[in-house]
Amino acid sequence: MSETRAEANAPGEEERVSPAAEPEAVETVEAAVRRQLGKALGGKRGVIEAAIPTITFTVAWLITEELKLSLYISGAVVVALLIVRVLQRSTVQFVLNSAFGIAIAAVFVAKSGNAADIALPGLIINAAYAVVMFISIITRWPVMGFLVGTMAEDPLSWRKDPGIVKLCTKLTWLLMAPNLVRLAVQVPLYAAIKMGLLSQEWVVAQLGLKYAMGWPLQIASFAAMGWVLARGRTPVSSPAA
C-alpha cells in the first residue's frame, strides 16, 4: 500500500520540480523592458509609418522644389496611412505621431519659407528628450524606470530596488545617446544654412543626415540596450521590496 502511495506520489513529485524552475518562468525586468520597447515602437510597421511622411516630403521637395506642394503631398500620405489603419481597425497611434510631426514641421516651413526648417522640430524634440532624460538620471528617477513600472501593481515599486534603478539608469543613458549625437552633428549644419553660410542645396545633405542619424542610431541604441538586458535577469519583484 505504501509502495502504491509512493508510486502515486511520484508524478506529483515530478510536477513539483517545475515550480523549482519557477524563477526561470518569472518575468524579469529585462524581459519586461524588451517587450515594452517593442510595443512603444509599434513593431516594423510603426517604424515605417513614422518615417514615410518625412521621406515623402523630402522626395517631393527634391523633385518639385515647392514647399507647400511637398507638404500637401506628405499630408496626403499621412491621411492614406490613417485610412488604412481605420479600415483594418488597428491602432492609429503611430500614424497620428507621424501626422503630428509633419504638422509641426509644416508650421515652421510655412512661416520661414526655408526648407531647412523641416528639420527644426526634430532638433527641438531631440533637445527636449535629452534634457528630460538627463534630469531623470541625475534625480535618480530614470525614465526607463517608469516603463518597468507599467509591469507592476505599484508603478513606483521599482524605486525601492537599487539594482533596478541602476539598470534603468544605464538604459536611459543608452536611450539618450542618439539624441546627443544628432544634436552635436545636425545643429551646426542647420545653423550654417539658416545664416546663409551654406546654400539651400545643403538642405538635401541636412535631410540625408536626419535619416542617416535617425533610425540607424536608434536601432544601435536599442541593440546596446538589448545587449545589457540579455546579460541580466533582474526579478520584477525584489525580495526586499
Side-chain angles (χ1 to χ4, degrees), residues 24 28-35 37 167 171 174 221-234:
E24 295 294 322
T28 60
V29 170
E30 289 80 6
V33 172
R34 283 197 300 268
R35 188 172 70 249
L37 279 175
L167 169 66
L171 295 176
L174 291 173
S221 170
F222 292 146
M225 292 168 69
W227 180 77
V228 170
L229 293 170
R231 294 176 64 232
R233 293 189 60 80
T234 310

Side-chain angles (χ1 to χ4, degrees), residues 93-141:
Q93 173 190 345
F94 305 103
V95 178
L96 290 178
N97 288 346
S98 64
F100 178 76
I102 201 67
I104 296 298
V107 171
F108 282 101
V109 172
K111 283 190 174 182
S112 69
N114 192 326
D117 284 333
I118 192 71
L120 185 55
L123 295 176
I124 294 173
I125 290 171
N126 274 280
Y129 281 167
V131 169
V132 169
M133 284 188 272
F134 181 71
I135 292 175
S136 78
I137 288 170
I138 62 176
T139 57
R140 291 185 58 78
W141 284 88

Side-chain angles (χ1 to χ4, degrees), residues 18 36 39-40 44 60 81 86 105 115 139 147 154 161 204 208-209 220:
S18 57
Q36 291 297 92
K39 289 181 180 179
K44 293 180 181 178
L81 291 172
V86 171
T139 57
L147 190 147
D154 180 1
D161 190 323
V204 177
L209 272 176

